[in-house]
Amino acid sequence: MSDFFTVSIIIATLASGIRLAVPFLLAALGEAVGQRAGVLNLGVEGVMLIGAFAAYYAALEWDSAALGLLMGLLVGMVMGLIYALITVVMHAEQGISGIGIYLFGLGFTDLLFQKLVGTPRSIDGLQTRPLNWLADDTGRAGELLFSHTILTYVAFLLVPVIYWLITKTTFGLNVRAVGENPQAADTLGVSVNGIRTAAIIIGNTMAGLAGAVLALEVQIFQQNLTAGRGFIAIALVYFGAWRPVGVMAGSLLFGIVSSTVLRLQVEGIISGSVASIANMAPAVLTVIVLVVVSRRIGQPAALTRPFTRDG
Amino acid sequence: MLKMSDNQQRFSGGYDVGRFFRPFAGLAVPAGAVVAALAVGAILLGVFGANPLTGYRELFTGAFGGPDELAATALKSIPLMLVGVGICIAFRTGVINIGGEGQIIMGAILATLVALALPDVPRPILVPLVMIAGGVGGGIWGAIPGALKAYSGVNEILSTIMMNIIAGFFMSFLLEDWLIAPGEIKIQQTKRLTQNADLPILPGGTRLHLGIVVALIVAILGYLLLFRSSLGMRLRAVGHNPHASRAAGMRVEMSITQALAFSGACAGIAGAVLVFGSESHRLIGEGGPLAFTQSAGFNGIVTALFGGLHPLFTVLSSYLFGGMLAGGISLQRAVQVPQALVIALNGVVVVFVVGSLKLRARVQRWAEGDIQMEDRA
C-alpha cells in the first residue's frame, strides 16, 4: 500500500513539474527567438506580469479562461510593438530598457489590480484536457502524459515548431542572419529592423501568453505574481544554448525541482530551510551551466547590438 | 554598452561654440524624458478619475513640503544613492550590474550576523563595523559574477540575476530557522538587533539618521575613485575600449572584477542601512526579497542613469526619485491612486531616458559644434 502511495506521489510530482515548466518554457522559447535575432529582452518578467493581469482580469470579468488567454496574448503583442519601437527604432540599450519594462510591468499591474479588483477574487482555470480519455486506460504513465490541459501540449508542441521556424524556414534563416551579422544581412537585402521587430513581437507575445498561463494556473493575481520567473526564463535561453530542445530541458529542470521541493515540504519530509536551499539549486546550476556554455558555445554575435548602416 | 560621450570632443580643435551650453545640452534630453514620463502619469491619473494637477501637487508636497517630508524623502533616497553610485562604477567599466537586489540582501545578512555576534561592542565602533560588513557582503556577491565574466566569459546580466535569486533564497533559508526571532508566531525576521548598531538619528527633530551621511561619503568616495584615481582611470578605460586597454598593458579581467566588487559593496552598504536604519531594527524576509529591498537594486539603476552615471549627480537624482517614492504615499492618500503608480512611472522614465541617449549624444555634439564631423565618420 505504502509502495503504491509513493509511486503515485512521484507520478503526481512529475506531472505537476511538467505543468510548472510551462510558463518557463513559453517565455524562454519566445526569448530565444528574439535573442537569435540579436535582441536581448530583459523585460520578459514585466511582460509576463502584464499578460498575467490581462488574463486574470478578462477571465474575472467575462468568466472565460479562453478570453483570458487571448487577452494575455494580445497585450504581449502590444508590449512587443512597444519594445521594438524602443530598441529597434530608438536604438536604446537593450539590457537597461528591459529593466524599465520590468519596473513598468511591476508597478502598472499592481496599480491596475488595486484599482480595478481590490480584494483578491479567484478565477476559473482552463480545464480543457484533450487527452484525458487516454489517461484512464494507460495507468500511471498515462496520468503523467495525458492528464494535462491543452496549454501544456501547446507549449511543448511549440518546441519543434520553434525549432522548425528557426532552422528550416527563410524567416528563421533571416533571424539567424540578423543575429549573427546584421551588416551582411542588410547587404543581401534582408530588412534587419523588420526581422528584429517580428522576432521581438513573437517573443513578447509568448511572454504575455506565459503570464496568462501562470495566472490561469494559480487562478489568482497578486503583486509580483511571477516572482522572478521571467528572469529565470532569460537565463534558460543561455542554459539551453539558444536551442529550443535545450530550453525545454532547462524549463523541465526548474519545473520538476520546484514541484519536488513543494511536495517534500507539504509531506513534511523536509523543513522550510532545507526547501529554501533546494529552491536555490536550479539557480546555482544555471550559473555553473553558464560557465560551461560560455566556454563551449558563443551567443549570437550581434546580441544586444543595435543595428545602424554605418556600423 | 553604455558609453557617455564625456570629453570625447575636448581635443577636436577649433573654436568650441557649444562650450557654454555643454552642461545644459546634456541635461535637456533626460529632463524631457521625465516630463514625458510625468505626462504618461498624468494620463493614468486622469484615467483613474483623479485630477492630475491635484495628484502631482500632493506628490510634490508629500515629498518636499516641509522638514519632515524632506527628511522622509532623504530616507527613501539613501538606498537609491548607494546602489546608484555602485551602478555608476560598474556601468562606467562597461559592466552591467543587475544584481543590486542580491548584493543588498547579502550585505544586510553579513551586517546582521556581525551585529548578532558582537552585540556588546560600543556604538561608535559597531556602527562603522556593520556598515563595512555590509560592504564586504555585497562586495563578495558582486565580485563573484565579476570574476565569472572576466575569467570565464559568463554574461554578467544573467549571472547577477541568478545571484539575486540565490541571495533571496539564502535569506529565507537563514530566517526560516537559524536567525528567526523566538516566539509563538513564525515570522521570517530576526529579533530586534543590538541597540549598539542602530544608526543614530541626526539632530533636527526629524527621523533622518546617519545613513544619509554614509551615503554621501560613499558617493564622494565613488567620485574620487572614478575620476580622481588611477584605478578609476583604468576602470573607465576598460569601459571605453577593453581591447585598447589590454593593448596598453592593463589587466582588463582584474578591472572588471574590481568594478563589480565595488558596485556590489555600495549596494551591500545599502542593505546594512536598510536593517539598522529601519524602525524595527531587524532583518525582515517576510513578504519576499522585494519587500525588503523595496526594489532599490533596480531603482538605483534608474537614478544612476538619470544622474548621467556620475556619482555626485546620482545623489541629486536619487533624492528626486526618493521624493517620488515618499510623495507616492500622500498621492495615494489624497487621490486614491495606489503608489504603485510611482514604480510604473520609474519604468517609463528608464525607457525614455535610455531611449533618448542617442538623441542626447546628438544634442551634445550639436552643442559642441561637431555634428558635421560625426556625421561624416
Side-chain angles (χ1 to χ4, degrees):
Chain A
M1 187 62 196
S2 81
D3 239 357
F4 168 74
F5 189 64
T6 314
V7 171
S8 67
I9 282 200
I10 289 173
I11 294 288
T13 307
L14 286 176
S16 86
I18 290 173
R19 221 170 51 237
L20 291 179
V22 170
F24 289 129
L25 181 59
L26 286 169
L29 278 177
E31 175 74 12
V33 175
Q35 291 203 9
R36 274 300 186 85
V39 184
L40 171 72
N41 178 10
L42 273 193
V44 176
E45 177 90 1
V47 178
M48 277 179 78
L49 278 167
I50 295 173
F53 180 78
Y56 170 78
Y57 192 61
L60 191 67
E61 287 294 301
W62 298 324
D63 242 341
S64 157
L67 277 177
L69 271 185
L70 187 68
M71 286 310 290
L73 218 106
L74 283 177
V75 295
M77 208 176 281
V78 171
M79 291 309 290
L81 273 173
I82 294 173
Y83 194 67
L85 185 72
I86 298 164
T87 54
V88 175
V89 180
M90 289 164 80
H91 290 175
E93 214 281 335
Q94 293 165 8
I96 315 294
S97 37
I99 292 298
I101 298 273
Y102 161 61
L103 288 176
F104 174 73
L106 182 67
F108 190 55
T109 53
D110 189 18
L111 174 69
L112 289 178
F113 178 71
Q114 290 188 41
K115 206 63 197 169
L116 298 178
V117 186
T119 46
R121 278 177 287 162
S122 68
I123 52 168
D124 293 329
L126 196 72
Q127 296 302 335
T128 318
R129 297 174 194 277
L131 298 180
N132 224 0
W133 53 279
L134 279 169
D136 300 334
D137 305 331
T138 42
R140 287 169 195 151
E143 192 194 330
L144 182 62
L145 293 175
F146 300 126
S147 66
H148 301 283
T149 67
I150 187 161
L151 290 170
T152 308
Y153 300 109
V154 169
F156 280 90
L157 263 179
L158 278 172
V159 175
V161 169
I162 296 285
Y163 170 81
W164 171 80
L165 185 75
I166 293 178
T167 55
K168 306 284 184 215
T169 64
T170 315
F171 173 74
L173 181 67
N174 288 339
V175 164
R176 283 179 289 141
V178 302
E180 294 292 343
N181 193 338
Q183 274 73 26
D186 183 52
T187 317
L188 293 172
V190 177
S191 163
V192 176
N193 289 348
I195 295 287
R196 283 191 168 173
T197 302
I200 290 169
I201 290 175
I202 292 173
N204 279 267
T205 306
M206 289 178 70
L209 184 64
V213 169
L214 185 67
L216 292 174
E217 168 79 33
V218 297
Q219 303 181 359
I220 198 85
F221 190 85
Q222 63 188 47
Q223 186 222 21
N224 193 25
L225 177 80
T226 49
R229 286 184 182 82
F231 287 119
I232 293 173
I234 300 165
L236 287 174
V237 176
Y238 288 75
F239 185 104
W242 294 270
R243 283 154 180 76
V245 175
V247 167
M248 180 180 76
S251 307
L252 280 171
L253 174 77
F254 267 78
I256 289 171
V257 167
S258 334
S259 72
T260 309
V261 171
L262 200 65
R263 174 69 66 171
L264 290 174
Q265 212 178 344
V266 168
E267 300 283 321
I269 297 167
I270 58 171
S271 66
S273 54
V274 177
S276 299
I277 289 291
N279 275 321
M280 220 186 267
V284 176
L285 190 63
T286 303
V287 174
I288 295 168
V289 169
L290 286 173
V291 174
V292 177
V293 165
S294 61
R295 287 224 172 110
R296 199 161 43 88
I297 308 159
Q299 59 183 31
L303 187 61
T304 76
R305 231 173 278 161
F307 169 69
T308 46
R309 280 256 157 78
D310 35 83
Chain B
M1 294 302 109
L2 274 161
K3 280 175 202 134
M4 297 292 137
S5 59
D6 57 357
N7 293 342
Q8 67 186 23
Q9 305 298 343
R10 181 169 285 175
F11 305 109
S12 59
Y15 183 65
D16 186 0
V17 283
R19 192 159 37 130
F20 307 106
F21 300 110
R22 191 187 296 148
F24 306 106
L27 287 177
V29 175
V34 168
V35 171
L38 289 179
V40 172
I43 294 169
L44 285 176
L45 283 171
V47 167
F48 289 124
N51 183 342
L53 284 179
T54 318
Y56 279 135
R57 201 183 55 228
E58 285 298 327
L59 189 110
F60 187 81
T61 42
F64 309 110
D68 287 330
E69 286 79 4
L70 290 169
T73 293
L75 284 172
K76 287 275 182 199
S77 68
I78 296 169
L80 304 180
M81 288 178 189
L82 287 163
V83 175
V85 169
I87 295 294
C88 293
I89 298 171
F91 282 21
R92 289 260 177 187
T93 315
V95 188
I96 298 197
N97 180 11
I98 311 286
E101 294 283 302
Q103 292 147 10
I104 291 174
I105 289 171
M106 294 312 272
I109 288 174
L110 198 61
T112 301
L113 290 176
V114 167
L116 284 170
L118 308 167
D120 300 322
V121 171
R123 204 170 179 186
I125 301 172
L126 191 56
V127 169
L129 204 60
V130 293
M131 291 298 129
I132 291 168
V136 171
I140 293 171
W141 217 240
I144 295 170
L148 287 178
K149 177 187 173 68
Y151 299 100
S152 292
V154 174
N155 182 311
E156 78 277 20
I157 297 177
L158 269 303
S159 57
T160 48
I161 289 171
M162 288 299 120
M163 298 298 275
N164 287 346
I165 294 169
I166 296 170
F169 281 121
F170 186 61
M171 178 162 73
S172 90
F173 161 70
L174 290 177
L175 290 174
E176 190 74 51
D177 209 359
W178 287 5
L179 299 184
I180 194 166
E184 287 296 308
I185 311 157
K186 287 201 115 190
I187 301 175
Q188 280 205 5
Q189 60 180 27
T190 59
K191 63 178 189 192
R192 196 225 185 272
L193 296 163
T194 169
Q195 293 193 342
N196 289 349
D198 291 0
L199 285 167
I201 305 284
L202 296 179
T206 64
R207 286 175 33 238
L208 189 59
H209 55 63
L210 196 70
I212 189 73
V213 179
V214 173
L216 292 175
I217 291 173
V218 169
I220 292 168
L221 289 178
Y223 166 75
L224 293 177
L225 170 77
L226 266 180
F227 297 106
R228 290 289 180 270
S229 76
S230 62
L231 176 60
M233 195 277 288
R234 284 198 295 275
L235 295 183
R236 284 182 297 127
V238 169
H240 269 289
N241 191 337
H243 303 295
S245 304
R246 192 186 308 280
M250 293 177 196
R251 289 187 298 160
V252 174
E253 288 81 9
M254 183 51 87
S255 294
I256 288 172
T257 313
Q258 283 166 339
L260 260 173
F262 284 130
S263 191
C266 295
I269 296 172
V273 172
L274 281 173
V275 173
F276 300 104
S278 68
E279 280 176 67
S280 65
H281 299 280
R282 302 163 191 265
L283 176 65
I284 301 175
E286 196 70 27
L290 217 55
F292 172 69
T293 63
Q294 301 158 18
S295 306
F298 293 116
N299 285 333
I301 299 175
V302 185
T303 63
L305 280 175
F306 196 67
L309 298 183
H310 190 295
L312 302 181
F313 286 119
T314 299
V315 167
L316 282 179
S317 71
S318 297
Y319 192 73
L320 288 177
F321 279 88
M324 279 180 71
L325 296 178
I329 300 164
S330 41
L331 174 87
Q332 175 161 3
R333 213 180 306 125
V335 295
Q336 280 79 49
V337 172
Q339 46 173 320
L341 174 72
V342 172
I343 302 279
L345 287 187
N346 268 2
V348 176
V349 172
V350 180
V351 167
F352 283 166
V353 170
V354 289
S356 59
L357 277 181
K358 279 268 155 26
L359 185 64
R360 175 182 177 168
R362 252 186 110 77
V363 169
Q364 220 154 15
R365 286 202 304 271
W366 169 81
E368 289 161 22
D370 275 324
I371 194 93
Q372 301 88 347
M373 205 183 93
E374 277 294 318
D375 276 354
R376 222 177 328 128

